[in-house]
Amino acid sequence: MSEESFVYTCCPGWGDHEFCTLKTIVKDGKVVRCEAADYTGAEEGEGYICQKGIMSCRQPYDPKRLTKPLKRVGERGEGKWEEVSWDQAMDEIAAKLLEIRDKYGPESLAMWDVVASVPPSQGLAALLASRFMGLWGASDPVKSYGLDNGPFYAAFFDFGNFYKYSTIDPVNFDSSDLIIIWGANPIENQMRIAKHFVEAKSRGAKIIDIGLLFDGTAGFADEFIPVKPGSDPALSMTMVNLILQRKQYKEDFLLAYTVAPFLVRDDDGMYLRDDEGNYVVWDLDADAPCSTVLGQQALPCDNPELDGAHEVNGVACKTAFRRLVEHAASYTPEWQEAITGVPAQTVVRLTDEYVAAPNAFVFGALGLRYINQGESYRSFYLLGALTGNLGHPGAGVTSEMLPAGWPLSFNDQAITMPDGRENYKGKLIHQADFIEQVQTGEPYPIKAFWVVAGNPVHNCPNRGLWVDQLFPQMELIVDIDIWMTDTGMYADYVLPDCMPFEREELVVSAAYNHVVLQEPAIEPVGEAKDPTFIYSELAKRVGFGEYFQNSTADWIKVRLDTNYPLIANVEPKITYERLKEEKRIRAATPPFAWDPFAGFNFDTPHKRMEFYAEKLVAVDDAIAKYVVPLEAPTAATLGDGTAKGKYHFFSGRQRFFMQSMFTEDPVMRELSGGYPTGRMNPVDAEAEGIKDGDKVEVYNHRGHCIIEMRLDQVIPPGTVQIWFGWRQTAFEEGMYSELLVPLGSRETIDERAKNWEKWTYEAGGYQPGFGTGGFGGMAGAWDTIWDCACDVRKVD
């Protein structure tokens, strides 16, 4: 009898942003189970696994898995296919691409690459697609994707850098006295974070959960504070106002590390500058203005004024702190109660507890998916700055919670831009422009659609937009996936991708201060192929063969050839050969847990936190604020008729699916109820004459969904919920995504979005292969999944 062996592979459920590497156990050429990964050094014992990771070992053998290339033989969406060889599929796809290029131009090919759905994200599926896109001159429509952009927005404008603020080591939570979990459900979905919250609670920390639903995290917390969807910054800015009015702020911290003492002009809202372009503060000792030095955080005077107003050379000014006090004054406990539903006395007590805690954490994550997302995170950062709860163990603020440890960087531009940045031909376009270009053919037509990953028909609403308006204009649609998805149903060719268990990769996104080699646990099932094969075969048929001659091992070697100190300084050097032998190698990280605020080394011109963001003055967004949701009913919209429906619709994630990755597993389906249902509060149901189990149509002006409605007191009154993840075939009629505002659509490109894009490009522009659609993909649109309105009616 053969013995068991193991390799490390990425969990297919990376959409929960825990980004676990699994220890995959193999026997007799088959995956038999998955366990938590083993790490070394300070991370020993920090490997975790959830129910999705445990169940993932079943996926390679699922009978619904794609195992052979398919060619459409019926109408799109009809589900009629024939199996073809890889040679036939690639020959025909390449010929059609060349035909379309010659007729319409190279930019008529659009390549969709939401790479988070292909673990490991930022792996070869993304990098090789970007390489091909740049050589071909294809269009990238993922710019302004409008998903989870709030953390990037907040960190970019407040700190001058979004990348390093997207991760933190959860070891920092252990010594907290108070943790406010805001808009997240880590107890059910993020095991490593959950472990450290349990550790903090065992040491006496109080846990407060602020969110929409009473979920597993709410049950774990000491207190649950429910808020209405999209209202979060109304609550957090009220906390800011209370801290300011009662003078509970840390003046020394504000003066040392923020723009609080900088003088702001009354006439245009810009910072006052001297003739050399330096910022200006008021020196109380000299009773005169004092110029700062660009690039230096320290001020040249010992006693700068925090709260004041002056006239300097005929220009009326106020300190940024005074501006903040005036801005926040309208956020009263009574006012916010009508917006958030949180009683006035509760927000006062919450603020008192937050201020009194020696070490307090505001744990934000990616659960705030609406137009107020960026404003929420900026207000969280502001709370941390006012109270000095940044940059020391047990205290901090998170936004996009990736529990990765120190950021690691690899030599990826050598792959994505083989001829240099200046010769990269890929065309980055707004999703809104993409939508209109497909529909109108202007300024150039888009006639081919290559889906690297992401299943846009399912997870990039609105479904009807794709199926009824965009796809009919396409002469070629190619989908690469492991399942027949809602997008694949409308493709001309569906190509079977390898799962993480079947391909070699470098794990770079979140390996807990380690560089990990993902090795194939098994041979690919059927005729599934990895990205190296797919792009090499395509490239040699369209004239780019010389650019795609590397093996997967060669590409990994290129990535490891980096000067990034945390990789380059490892001794002995991290090589592909060494990784093959050792499987994972600890990076040369400092001997303390990663905290992006440690040392307060901000990337702004003055090295200070900009809670007053000058780059946002032009769009009246200099300081975090509450913005009325796009269309959903709120206290601010019901009275004037601007709400587009009676109920606020949302499609929250649930713990058994993680996007649509696990919907085909019969065990996970059973645990999820077996079929999709809706949920609403019994109070609303009684008003609508709906009983538990009734068939109900949820609808708005974009689409509808017929579904069995369950009554649940967990659901806040005024909201309707359908779990995200179920494919369209699971619904009797319609689908939840028909109701949603299209991500990145013209509706979501407001002046703030355009301003963000402008500054993003000045800061460095497009980075192909990074995350979701590159640097440019992080700028422009707003999350609106939970901002849409709907109505309900009983179906006879």
Side-chain angles (χ1 to χ4, degrees):
M1 181 178 293
S2 63
E3 296 182 355
E4 292 183 344
S5 61
F6 80 91
V7 296
Y8 287 120
T9 61
C10 292
C11 177
W14 268 31
D16 62 6
H17 294 266
E18 183 87 323
F19 292 160
C20 293
T21 301
L22 305 180
K23 187 175 184 179
T24 299
I25 313 300
V26 182
K27 185 176 182 179
D28 297 325
K30 186 175 181 178
V31 176
V32 293
R33 67 182 182 279
C34 291
E35 301 176 352
D38 299 320
Y39 293 105
T40 62
E43 290 71 41
E44 184 177 0
E46 286 291 300
Y48 296 92
I49 189 169
C50 72
Q51 70 274 19
K52 294 181 291 293
I54 292 169
M55 297 299 288
S56 65
C57 64
R58 299 158 51 93
Q59 287 191 317
Y61 312 108
D62 193 299
K64 293 184 178 180
R65 169 122 185 246
L66 293 171
T67 59
K68 293 185 178 181
L70 299 177
K71 179 182 178 180
R72 177 176 60 85
V73 294
E75 296 297 319
R76 283 181 178 159
E78 193 176 3
K80 293 182 178 180
W81 309 91
E82 66 172 349
E83 295 179 354
V84 297
S85 68
W86 272 100
D87 280 340
Q88 180 182 341
M90 299 307 280
D91 286 345
E92 293 177 1
I93 290 169
K96 189 64 177 178
L97 285 175
L98 291 169
E99 175 189 325
I100 291 172
R101 183 190 67 180
D102 293 343
K103 184 176 181 180
Y104 302 107
E107 62 271 17
S108 61
L109 166 63
M111 298 184 70
W112 183 269
D113 61 340
V114 184
V115 300
S117 57
V118 182
S121 59
Q122 299 142 50
L124 290 177
L127 298 175
L128 296 182
S130 290
R131 186 181 183 90
F132 186 90
M133 195 184 310
L135 292 165
W136 182 274
S139 296
D140 182 352
V142 183
K143 179 182 178 185
S144 305
Y145 181 55
L147 185 64
D148 300 331
N149 282 355
F152 305 112
Y153 180 86
F156 180 78
F157 286 112
D158 280 18
F159 308 123
N161 180 309
F162 74 78
Y163 180 58
K164 72 180 182 182
Y165 295 96
S166 65
T167 67
I168 195 170
D169 195 319
V171 170
N172 288 292
F173 303 146
D174 291 358
S175 54
S176 291
D177 301 291
L178 174 70
I179 299 175
I180 300 175
I181 303 173
W182 205 316
N185 186 15
I187 297 301
E188 293 187 2
N189 287 320
Q190 292 182 293
M191 297 300 98
R192 188 182 186 208
I193 297 169
K195 182 259 189 184
H196 288 283
F197 283 160
V198 170
E199 179 66 26
K201 191 173 184 180
S202 72
R203 298 184 184 189
K206 181 175 182 179
I207 311 293
I208 298 174
D209 182 48
I210 300 176
L212 183 61
L213 301 176
F214 191 91
D215 50 27
T217 297
F220 164 78
D222 296 290
E223 181 179 5
F224 173 59
I225 300 177
V227 294
K228 295 178 181 178
S231 69
D232 304 80
L235 174 59
S236 52
M237 286 303 296
T238 298
M239 295 174 67
V240 167
N241 184 38
L242 289 169
I243 292 170
L244 293 170
Q245 296 298 327
R246 297 186 295 185
K247 301 187 183 301
Q248 295 173 313
Y249 47 83
K250 302 287 187 182
E251 181 171 347
D252 289 348
F253 187 95
L254 294 170
L255 290 172
Y257 302 118
T258 79
V259 296
F262 285 16
L263 292 175
V264 180
R265 301 170 61 110
D266 286 355
D267 55 2
D268 61 8
M270 305 297 282
Y271 287 118
L272 183 68
R273 289 176 170 82
D274 64 14
D275 293 340
E276 303 298 323
N278 296 304
Y279 300 87
V280 178
V281 300
W282 192 263
D283 185 351
L284 288 173
D285 290 339
D287 195 28
C290 173
S291 294
T292 68
V293 178
L294 279 174
Q296 293 186 16
Q297 188 180 80
L299 299 177
C301 58
D302 294 330
N303 194 14
E305 184 178 45
L306 178 67
D307 186 0
H310 301 276
E311 186 172 300
V312 180
N313 297 326
V315 178
C317 302
K318 298 172 184 173
T319 62
F321 181 83
R322 172 71 66 88
R323 286 258 182 168
L324 172 63
V325 171
E326 294 174 353
H327 170 80
S330 62
Y331 290 85
T332 65
E334 293 73 24
W335 171 84
Q336 70 80 40
E337 184 172 343
I339 303 296
T340 68
V342 177
Q345 63 269 26
T346 299
V347 69
V348 172
R349 175 178 54 79
L350 173 66
T351 306
D352 287 339
E353 292 185 23
Y354 179 67
V355 171
N359 301 296
F361 240 106
V362 177
F363 175 88
L366 298 175
L368 308 180
R369 283 183 162 165
Y370 28 68
I371 203 166
N372 268 317
Q373 188 188 60
E375 302 302 319
S376 298
Y377 295 128
R378 292 192 70 209
S379 65
F380 297 167
Y381 288 139
L382 181 53
L383 285 170
L386 287 172
T387 58
N389 275 304
L390 296 174
H392 56 90
V397 176
T398 70
S399 52
E400 180 170 359
M401 184 55 222
L402 308 180
W406 290 79
L408 301 180
S409 180
F410 294 81
N411 184 31
D412 290 344
Q413 186 168 313
I415 299 178
T416 59
M417 297 179 171
D419 295 331
R421 177 180 292 272
E422 66 279 4
N423 293 313
Y424 188 85
K425 299 176 183 177
K427 294 178 174 60
L428 190 66
I429 59 174
H430 272 296
Q431 264 197 51
D433 294 333
F434 165 73
I435 291 168
E436 292 177 2
Q437 283 184 226
V438 174
Q439 293 169 330
T440 67
E442 299 293 338
Y444 58 83
I446 295 176
K447 293 295 183 179
F449 194 56
W450 179 280
V451 183
V452 178
N455 191 10
V457 173
H458 182 120
N459 61 27
C460 187
N462 173 285
R463 176 185 175 85
L465 173 72
W466 290 97
V467 173
D468 300 328
Q469 300 182 46
L470 302 186
F471 284 173
Q473 303 301 318
M474 300 292 183
E475 296 182 14
L476 176 68
I477 301 173
V478 179
D479 186 39
I480 306 169
D481 215 308
I482 62 173
W483 312 109
M484 179 58 72
T485 66
D486 289 1
T487 301
M489 286 293 295
Y490 292 88
D492 301 303
Y493 296 87
V494 179
L495 305 179
D497 198 5
C498 281
M499 293 196 69
F501 301 107
E502 300 162 335
R503 58 188 170 89
E504 194 170 46
E505 282 274 9
L506 191 64
V507 184
V508 302
S509 187
Y512 304 173
N513 295 331
H514 284 68
V515 179
V516 180
L517 182 65
Q518 174 177 284
E519 297 178 276
I522 56 175
E523 291 295 319
V525 174
E527 297 178 20
K529 299 295 183 183
D530 69 1
T532 300
F533 173 90
I534 293 172
Y535 288 100
S536 297
E537 290 297 311
L538 179 64
K540 72 183 183 182
R541 287 170 167 82
V542 298
F544 299 142
E546 63 181 298
Y547 288 93
F548 289 85
Q549 295 182 9
N550 279 355
S551 66
T552 297
D554 292 332
W555 292 125
I556 292 174
K557 292 174 183 177
V558 171
R559 302 192 75 185
L560 290 171
D561 187 20
T562 175
N563 294 324
Y564 189 67
L566 300 187
I567 305 299
N569 292 344
V570 173
E571 293 293 341
K573 183 178 177 63
I574 300 179
T575 63
Y576 173 77
E577 291 73 21
R578 185 181 171 199
L579 278 172
K580 287 289 287 185
E581 181 178 348
E582 300 181 34
K583 299 184 183 296
R584 78 279 187 268
I585 300 170
R586 197 175 191 280
T589 59
F592 53 89
W594 166 248
D595 179 350
F597 294 101
F600 304 110
N601 183 27
F602 303 124
D603 294 316
T604 53
H606 36 70
K607 304 301 179 184
R608 290 168 170 260
M609 175 191 171
E610 280 199 33
F611 65 77
Y612 185 94
E614 189 179 53
K615 293 175 181 176
L616 294 173
V617 169
V619 290
D620 190 31
D621 202 27
I623 303 174
K625 63 185 180 183
Y626 167 74
V627 178
V628 175
L630 189 65
E631 65 176 43
T634 67
T637 61
L638 286 175
D640 61 16
T642 58
K644 296 183 179 180
K646 186 186 298 185
Y647 296 99
H648 204 145
F649 178 81
F650 71 99
S651 56
R653 302 297 198 267
Q654 57 106 306
R655 58 181 169 173
F656 298 111
F657 282 173
M658 196 44 54
Q659 270 71 315
S660 59
M661 180 56 69
F662 292 88
T663 56
E664 302 299 344
D665 188 291
V667 174
M668 303 302 257
R669 288 174 69 93
E670 182 179 356
L671 291 173
S672 302
Y675 55 91
T677 58
R679 294 195 294 173
M680 62 188 304
N681 190 278
V683 173
D684 294 328
E686 183 177 6
E688 299 288 348
I690 295 172
K691 296 183 174 58
D692 189 69
D694 280 350
K695 187 182 296 184
V696 171
E697 182 183 24
V698 183
Y699 66 97
N700 61 18
H701 60 290
R702 282 180 294 271
H704 77 145
C705 180
I706 294 179
I707 199 165
E708 180 183 301
M709 188 63 71
R710 312 300 304 187
L711 309 189
D712 194 336
Q713 293 185 7
V714 164
I715 305 299
T719 62
V720 174
Q721 185 257 345
I722 301 174
W723 285 124
F724 181 93
W726 293 100
R727 302 194 195 283
Q728 194 278 330
T729 53
F731 291 86
E732 177 178 337
E733 186 176 320
M735 187 183 183
Y736 76 90
S737 68
E738 289 187 9
L739 284 74
L740 305 182
V741 179
L743 295 181
S745 68
R746 191 67 65 195
E747 295 172 86
T748 67
I749 306 293
D750 60 11
E751 292 305 310
R752 290 189 303 156
K754 294 175 184 177
N755 182 70
W756 183 14
E757 178 187 15
K758 168 184 177 292
W759 288 111
T760 298
Y761 271 81
E762 290 198 10
Y766 179 42
Q767 304 287 343
F770 177 84
T772 301
F775 197 135
M778 306 303 182
W782 299 101
D783 295 338
T784 56
I785 290 180
W786 287 1
D787 276 19
C788 69
C790 72
D791 289 294
V792 300
R793 54 192 170 208
K794 186 176 177 181
V795 177
D796 295 328

